[in-house]
């Protein structure tokens, strides 16, 4: 029963997402695909996956233990804090902390998590900002 509820919620979110995508105004200078294409593709994939869950639910789903649910909630909180802190402390610092925490919770050691956070943050910064020229959130140190 819980799978069908989850699938129905996912289907409602997909429908809402599609309606929101249809409300995007197109500029006269848009490309052939337009700005609505990617959100509509995401809505379609979410909708199809939700329908599959509704039609073929798991016979006996195994819910995570309370400890695992707490870890999932903590990861969600870290991602929300990451989004909130990006404009405040900048991309590099926020990404270091978020990536280090998440890899630590996935089982890496403390040193490995810090190195992964550093490598992820600087790697993405180099590729997206320096190579591709995309702007990323600047922190108090200008990067």
């Amino acid at each position: 029963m819980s799978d069908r509820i989850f699938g129905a919620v996912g289907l409602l979110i997909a429908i809402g997402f599609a309606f929101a995508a249809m409300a995007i105004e197109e500029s006269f200078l848009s490309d052939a695909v337009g700005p609505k294409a990617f959100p509509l593709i995401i809505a379609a994939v979410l909708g199809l996956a939700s329908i599959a869950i509704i039609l073929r639910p798991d016979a006996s789903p195994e819910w995570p233990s309370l400890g695992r649910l707490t870890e999932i909630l903590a990861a969600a909180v870290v991602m929300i804090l990451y989004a909130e802190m990006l404009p405040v402390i900048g991309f590099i610092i926020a990404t270091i902390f978020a990536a280090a925490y998440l890899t630590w919770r996935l089982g890496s050691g403390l040193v490995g998590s810090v190195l992964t956070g550093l490598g992820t943050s600087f790697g993405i910064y180099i590729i997206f900002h320096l190579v591709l020229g995309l702007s990323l959130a600047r922190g108090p140190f200008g990067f």
Side-chain angles (χ1 to χ4, degrees):
M1 182 67 174
S2 61
D3 283 355
R4 287 200 167 108
I5 293 170
F6 179 70
V9 169
L11 187 58
L12 290 174
I13 291 171
I15 292 168
F17 199 74
F19 276 117
M22 294 304 292
I24 296 173
E25 294 185 27
E26 294 189 33
S27 170
F28 68 93
L29 294 174
S30 65
D31 57 4
V33 177
K36 296 179 184 180
F38 186 70
L40 287 174
I41 291 170
I42 298 296
V45 170
L46 177 59
L48 290 172
S50 298
I51 289 170
I53 291 171
I54 291 170
L55 295 178
R56 297 186 59 127
D58 192 2
S60 59
E62 293 182 28
W63 287 88
S65 65
L66 183 59
R68 283 286 185 202
L69 283 174
T70 304
E71 286 190 27
I72 293 169
L73 179 63
V77 168
V78 165
M79 294 309 295
I80 292 168
L81 288 173
Y82 174 69
E84 292 294 322
M85 295 307 292
L86 270 173
V88 177
I89 61 175
F91 176 82
I92 291 179
I93 297 170
T95 304
I96 289 170
F97 283 109
Y101 174 79
L102 293 172
T103 55
W104 173 63
R105 293 314 309 147
L106 286 171
S108 291
L110 187 59
V111 173
S113 295
V114 171
L115 292 175
T116 300
L118 288 166
T120 300
S121 181
F122 285 107
I124 292 173
Y125 182 81
I126 289 168
I127 292 170
F128 283 92
H129 185 69
L130 300 179
V131 174
L132 297 175
L134 300 174
S135 64
L136 299 172
R138 292 184 179 265
F141 304 113
F143 54 83

